[in-house]
Amino acid sequence: MLSISQIVRRALVMQLAVPAFNVPYLPMIEPVIQAVIDQDSFALVEVARLEWRKFESQSLAAVATEFYRHNQPEYVRLHLDHVPVIDEDNLRVDFMPIFEEALGLGYESVMIDGSRLPLAENIQVTRQVVELAHEAGCPVEAELGAIMGHEAAPLLSYEELFTTGRGFTNVEEARLFVQETGCDWLSVAIGNIHGAIAAGRKDQKKIEARLNIERLDQLSRASQIPLVLHGGSGIQQAALMESTRHGIAKINVATEIRQPYETALKDTGSIPQAQQAVYDRTIWILQAFLGIAGKREKILSTGPVPL
Ligand code: 13P
């Protein structure tokens, strides 16, 4: 069976990004997995620290237990999304115990997010996590640049962000960061933003983000590793498809499936109905939005295994 590192490398070579679905509510796990299977696709199921603290996925262990109840490793794997060093409320996080726990629970890849730190410190904490995770054979995603959205209030308008390129990942820094840390995948800021999670804003429709493909291409050449696109919900579709031809090999999707779950639960009070809404939306994402339906064979088992 291919490792998740090999699968993401293959996705990069095949110019097909692996979707990674966030699960802020435990009942979302089953319909996401079912949709991936039914669409003969491949995806990651992932949970971020803020989703077990601010939403209802409870804990790393609860997500792992629910995931492994439904797991089919030929279709899905479990990833630990954002563990920030400084979180969205500007608080310092004791991050190493979270990684130790995740590795013990069978998470197959993990993400350290030192993006709110100065470069040297981001390098230092990322290297620390890489050492721990690689010892256990687990690949590490890291982040460089500022992907806005999770903070309580927007710092600037989207238009301003995109036109000024403020917070976009710097190409030379990315080259140095990858060399110095040995991270496996890099999350980059190129116009993508996270869906809001703050009360009062988390139900709003996300802005249609654009991507600076030229910057992405430079980042891909400089880093030479698979790149990750956070904030996958609501990105302009043409830009999204183009990004997979310029180094994006994993696309994170949260808001797009969280909001239908919450809306259906609010309207009907029924978890099965909310699960159905997640299933339907995941099918749409795999088929119409990402065009990854029916592509499992292509990612998993054709051609020579890239190193
Ligand atoms: P969206 O909520 O914008 O899809 O972002 C998801 C994400 O990047 C999680 O890490």
Side-chain angles (χ1 to χ4, degrees):
M1 199 166 63
L2 293 183
S3 70
I4 189 59
S5 288
Q6 290 170 315
I7 293 170
V8 172
R9 276 255 162 220
R10 272 182 180 278
L12 178 70
V13 173
M14 307 282 173
Q15 303 189 342
L16 286 170
V18 170
F21 294 105
N22 285 79
V23 288
Y25 301 91
L26 294 176
M28 291 174 71
I29 295 174
E30 185 180 2
V32 165
I33 294 178
Q34 196 56 52
V36 174
I37 294 170
D38 291 349
Q39 290 303 306
D40 194 29
S41 192
F42 181 85
L44 294 171
V45 170
E46 65 181 12
V47 67
R49 175 179 175 269
L50 65 83
E51 289 167 328
W52 72 78
R53 289 172 65 91
K54 296 189 169 169
F55 291 88
E56 293 174 20
S57 47
Q58 296 177 16
S59 65
L60 272 177
V63 171
T65 302
E66 182 64 7
F67 176 84
Y68 284 111
R69 246 163 42 89
H70 303 286
N71 182 28
Q72 294 217 24
E74 290 301 321
Y75 293 88
V76 282
R77 304 287 173 89
L78 184 60
H79 172 75
L80 172 57
D81 191 24
H82 293 279
V83 175
V85 180
I86 296 181
D87 73 10
E88 60 286 351
D89 300 320
N90 262 323
L91 299 172
R92 195 96 198 178
V93 175
D94 186 14
F95 56 93
M96 284 308 269
I98 300 177
F99 291 106
E100 281 157 13
E101 188 188 353
L103 294 174
L105 287 166
Y107 283 75
E108 290 187 50
S109 48
V110 295
M111 178 190 190
I112 172 75
D113 176 1
S115 63
R116 292 191 181 93
L117 298 168
L119 178 64
E121 221 186 317
N122 190 356
I123 289 176
Q124 188 243 316
V125 296
T126 301
R127 198 189 291 141
Q128 200 183 339
V129 174
V130 166
E131 275 164 23
L132 176 83
H134 282 188
E135 186 98 344
C138 173
V140 176
E141 176 179 338
E143 184 163 300
L144 188 63
I147 303 170
M148 311 289 183
H150 282 164
E151 307 75 16
L155 302 173
L156 66 174
S157 75
Y158 182 75
E159 245 352 270
E160 212 178 333
L161 181 142
F162 193 78
T163 47
T164 60
R166 201 166 125 195
F168 280 21
T169 310
N170 175 284
V171 176
E172 285 317 309
E173 287 186 5
R175 190 192 310 276
L176 178 77
F177 186 87
V178 170
Q179 274 168 9
E180 294 282 313
T181 62
C183 70
D184 301 87
W185 311 329
L186 185 65
S187 159
V188 292
I190 51 169
N192 46 322
I193 51 164
H194 286 118
I197 52 141
R201 291 200 302 124
K202 72 182 181 55
D203 302 331
Q204 285 171 8
K205 187 170 162 37
K206 239 189 108 176
I207 199 143
E208 189 178 53
R210 288 171 277 158
L211 299 176
N212 183 331
I213 298 292
E214 195 186 331
R215 175 69 65 94
L216 172 63
D217 195 58
Q218 294 164 346
L219 289 167
S220 176
R221 287 170 202 275
S223 65
Q224 299 279 314
I225 60 171
L227 301 180
V228 181
L229 189 66
H230 281 241
S233 302
I235 289 184
Q236 215 177 56
Q237 200 190 13
L240 194 92
M241 300 320 282
E242 185 69 5
S243 76
T244 65
R245 293 190 276 276
H246 296 273
I248 294 296
K250 170 176 178 275
I251 298 180
N252 285 16
V253 179
T255 309
E256 193 76 55
I257 55 171
R258 171 180 59 77
Q259 288 180 341
Y261 181 89
E262 291 172 338
T263 305
L265 194 59
K266 200 165 98 205
D267 291 350
T268 67
S270 152
I271 288 181
Q273 297 249 32
Q275 288 179 305
Q276 184 65 44
V278 171
Y279 176 84
D280 293 345
R281 201 62 186 159
T282 308
I283 297 270
W284 175 83
I285 294 166
L286 295 168
Q287 275 182 0
F289 192 55
L290 296 179
I292 192 115
K295 301 279 172 65
R296 191 176 69 89
E297 273 291 300
K298 211 170 167 195
I299 296 180
L300 259 65
S301 56
T302 56
V305 179
L307 293 174

